[in-house]
Structures are given as C-alpha cells and as structure tokens.
Amino acid sequence: MDMTATYDEISVFSYSIMYSNLIQMDKLFFCIATALLLTACQQNSAPQTQPELPAQAVSLTQPPDQFAEYWYQGKAEISSYALEQARYGEIHDGHAVLVYVTEDFSKKKQVKLDHPEQAGADRVPILKLNFVKKFTTGIYPYSLMQSVFSPVDVQAYPHALKTSMSAQEWCGHTFTQYNLQGKQYRIHGFSYFESEGDVELKLPAVWLEDEVWTRIRLQPQSLPTGTVEMVPASFYLRLAHKPFEVQQAEATLSSPENEPQTRIYELYYPAHNRRLRIRFESEFPHRILSWEEQYPDGFGPNAKVLTTKASLINRLNTAYWRQHNNEHEGLRAQLGLPEG
C-alpha cells in the first residue's frame, strides 16, 4: 500500500472538512453580526425615553429660554427689604437691598471683563449678587456690602469663583475676599482690630454660605442638604468676630404646607447655635421673599439669642447703572428706600 498517497488523501479530505466548517462558521458569525447590527440600528432610531424627574426638581427648574429672557434683558433685579438687625444685644431697624445682575467674568483674573468679546475661553458668564445692609446702632451707622460671583453653568463651575465683603462704621472698616484657586479658596482678610489684623489663609473649596444666595436663583434644586461642610456667612463672621473656618451645618429644603408656591432653605450650625432660613418662590425666577437669622448676639455673659429679620418691600427690574442723575432719585421711593 502506498502510505504517502493515503496520507495525502486523508489530509486533503481533512482540510476540505475544516475549510467547509470554517465557511459555515463565517456564515454563522456574519448572520449573528448582521442581526446585532440591525437590532442596534432599530434601537438607535427609536425615540429615547427621558427619565422622569422627581416632582420637586420639576417645580424648581426652568427652560433655558425662560432663563435667558429674564436674566439677559440688559437689566438688573433690585429688591428692597425692611431689616431688623441684631447687634449689641438689641434689634436695630434698617434696610437691605439685593441686586442681581448677569455679567461676563474673567476666569483667570476673577474680575468683570472690559472686553468680553475678546476674552475667548477666559470668559465665564456669571450671576452677580450685591447684598447691602444698612442700619444704625445708637449714634453711628453700619454699612455692610457683600458681592458674590457665581457662574451660570453650575455643572462646569459648582462653586462661586469669588466673593468679597466690606463693613464700615465709625470705629473703622474691614474687608474680606475669597478667590477660588483649584480645590481651595484663598482668603484675604483686613481689619482695624489687632486680633483680626491682616490675614491670608486657604480653606478647602467647600460650600460658602455666601453663594447660597446665588444658587437659589440659578438652580435651587441643587442646594446641598443633609450634613454639609460649609463656611459661614462673611457678614456673620465679621459681626461676631469669628475665625474663617469650615463648619458642619444641617441643611434642609422644604415647602410650607400653607404656602405651596414657596420654598424654605434652612441652615443650622450646631457649633455656633446659629440658624438661617431663606424663603423664596418655588417657580422661576425664584425671587427671595424674606429671611431670618438667629444666633446668640452680644458678648460675654450678656449675649442672648436674637433674630434678624428681613421682609420684601418692593422690586424693580431696571438698568440702574444708567440712572444716576437727580431725576432718578424717585426710584428710591418706589423701592421704599430713604433718600441719600
């Protein structure tokens, strides 16, 4: 027997079977791949079902065009409030003003841009708040002002880029500024008090209570709740002569049973026995209606828990920066503010 021929025949037969099997496998793989591709195409062509948002989130959001129509009309929103301010263990009458306006901000320099059209990627649209309090203690007046610069895009920029606060009264004046740098806030503080002096320090980029006032207007459903690390308000830290530090706060966002169109955001700091309650509209543009701040006021054994209160007087949407002549003084009367 010619064994070589036999082996060759067997080899050819074996290879033929293997090739035939490979062809069949290729066909099978092709069919499977085609079926998967057709299924994927059908899935992609079908309309996507959006996840249903919680009821609270729906009631606290607004369409982008509604936001633009309100905030990009070339006007600021000015709200005036009757103020009852705790100071020196007593309540003093005064007034407060919240001025909200959108601006173009420099991400690098952290100042308002002079030429935003030339800034390129350095331009960040922000919502700015200027928060003013004025009240009198005995013979001399207090004037407090805080500015908060919060990017409109809270997903890309989850925290304010900058805040500043100044206080003036007859004893002297103080100034504080926070600048966001990476994952830290750089803080500069200046005061006429020796114990407070001129300080520079850094804190982790946690929530600032100061930025709560802009987040309510931008996206209140994203306000932090539960146990939160937060730096207390600049106004409070200066008036109470407290250090700049991160505190734990208990935060809640609720809707009063008898006021379905409003929301209340509340912060409580156990370390300071201090509570802040901000009442605002649940629907866009989430205007702030009133607030209360409660904490031990005064110094030493005479300190007692008092409540600062502010309630809305009136509101104007106007380009106030063009209304600086004598003829415009009547607008202050519309806001219920004193002359001068």
Side-chain angles (χ1 to χ4, degrees):
M1 180 182 291
D2 188 349
M3 298 299 295
T4 303
T6 303
Y7 286 138
D8 288 341
E9 290 172 0
I10 293 172
S11 297
V12 170
F13 179 74
S14 299
Y15 288 143
S16 298
I17 294 175
M18 290 173 61
Y19 182 75
S20 176
N21 288 339
L22 288 172
I23 294 294
Q24 295 300 321
M25 291 175 67
D26 284 344
K27 289 181 178 179
L28 178 62
F29 288 143
F30 177 79
C31 291
I32 293 173
T34 303
L36 290 173
L37 181 61
L38 289 173
T39 302
C41 291
Q42 290 173 354
Q43 289 177 344
N44 289 337
S45 62
Q48 297 296 309
T49 302
Q50 296 295 330
E52 186 175 354
L53 294 173
Q56 187 184 63
V58 172
S59 65
L60 292 175
T61 56
Q62 70 284 337
D65 56 342
Q66 189 181 24
F67 183 92
E69 287 174 6
Y70 189 82
W71 288 115
Y72 294 114
Q73 56 178 315
K75 297 179 180 180
E77 181 198 270
I78 307 170
S79 302
S80 56
Y81 301 82
L83 178 67
E84 299 174 22
Q85 178 68 46
R87 189 67 176 145
Y88 303 124
E90 297 179 322
I91 298 296
H92 306 271
D93 291 337
H95 65 269
V97 178
L98 300 183
V99 182
Y100 288 96
V101 66
T102 51
E103 292 180 346
D104 291 314
F105 203 65
S106 168
K107 180 168 56 177
K108 181 180 179 181
K109 298 179 181 178
Q110 296 192 349
V111 293
K112 180 182 177 181
L113 286 166
D114 293 332
H115 303 286
E117 71 282 356
Q118 302 173 12
D122 187 45
R123 171 182 171 269
V124 179
I126 62 158
L127 179 65
K128 180 181 74 174
L129 165 64
N130 283 334
F131 185 167
V132 179
K133 286 185 175 185
K134 291 183 180 290
F135 57 95
T136 300
T137 57
I139 191 175
Y140 63 93
Y142 267 79
S143 179
L144 311 178
M145 181 171 176
Q146 172 183 286
S147 296
V148 182
F149 304 85
S150 293
V152 170
D153 187 349
V154 299
Q155 276 70 43
Y157 303 94
H159 289 296
L161 296 181
K162 176 182 177 181
T163 73
S164 61
M165 191 281 295
S166 60
Q168 302 85 36
E169 36 93 5
W170 285 5
C171 294
H173 61 92
T174 66
F175 179 79
T176 303
Q177 182 165 297
Y178 292 69
N179 291 89
L180 183 63
Q181 296 183 337
K183 296 182 179 181
Q184 292 182 315
Y185 276 108
R186 186 187 66 183
I187 304 169
H188 287 96
F190 302 92
S191 173
Y192 58 88
F193 287 108
E194 180 184 5
S195 59
E196 297 175 355
D198 295 352
V199 297
E200 181 176 352
L201 70 153
K202 292 183 178 180
L203 291 177
V206 299
W207 278 89
L208 306 178
E209 184 183 319
D210 295 344
E211 67 181 316
V212 163
W213 298 84
T214 47
R215 182 56 65 91
I216 286 174
R217 307 306 307 275
L218 289 169
Q219 197 180 84
Q221 74 274 15
S222 65
L223 286 163
T225 56
T227 301
V228 183
E229 287 192 324
M230 186 171 287
V231 180
S234 298
F235 283 161
Y236 168 75
L237 294 179
R238 277 309 189 187
L239 291 178
H241 302 286
K242 300 291 186 182
F244 304 108
E245 61 183 6
V246 178
Q247 292 278 344
Q248 278 201 342
E250 298 299 325
T252 59
L253 179 62
S254 61
S255 178
E257 292 183 4
N258 58 339
E259 294 183 88
Q261 301 304 314
T262 66
R263 295 287 186 271
I264 292 177
Y265 187 63
E266 182 169 330
L267 292 170
Y268 176 67
Y269 297 86
H272 293 164
N273 188 24
R274 175 173 169 266
R275 190 180 305 274
L276 173 69
R277 300 175 80 246
I278 305 174
R279 180 171 155 266
F280 63 94
E281 296 173 339
S282 59
E283 299 299 325
F284 181 81
H286 312 299
R287 289 173 289 218
I288 292 174
L289 303 172
S290 63
W291 68 87
E292 293 184 0
E293 183 183 8
Q294 188 178 70
Y295 57 86
D297 184 75
F299 304 98
N302 296 324
K304 54 185 176 181
V305 176
L306 295 178
T307 303
T308 292
K309 298 180 181 180
S311 56
L312 181 66
I313 299 174
N314 203 359
R315 180 179 291 111
L316 291 177
N317 287 73
T318 185
Y320 69 87
W321 51 91
R322 299 194 188 101
Q323 298 164 335
H324 43 65
N325 296 332
N326 291 336
E327 63 184 278
H328 300 120
E329 289 184 359
L331 294 172
R332 293 185 62 83
Q334 291 185 36
L335 289 166
L337 299 175
E339 296 181 3

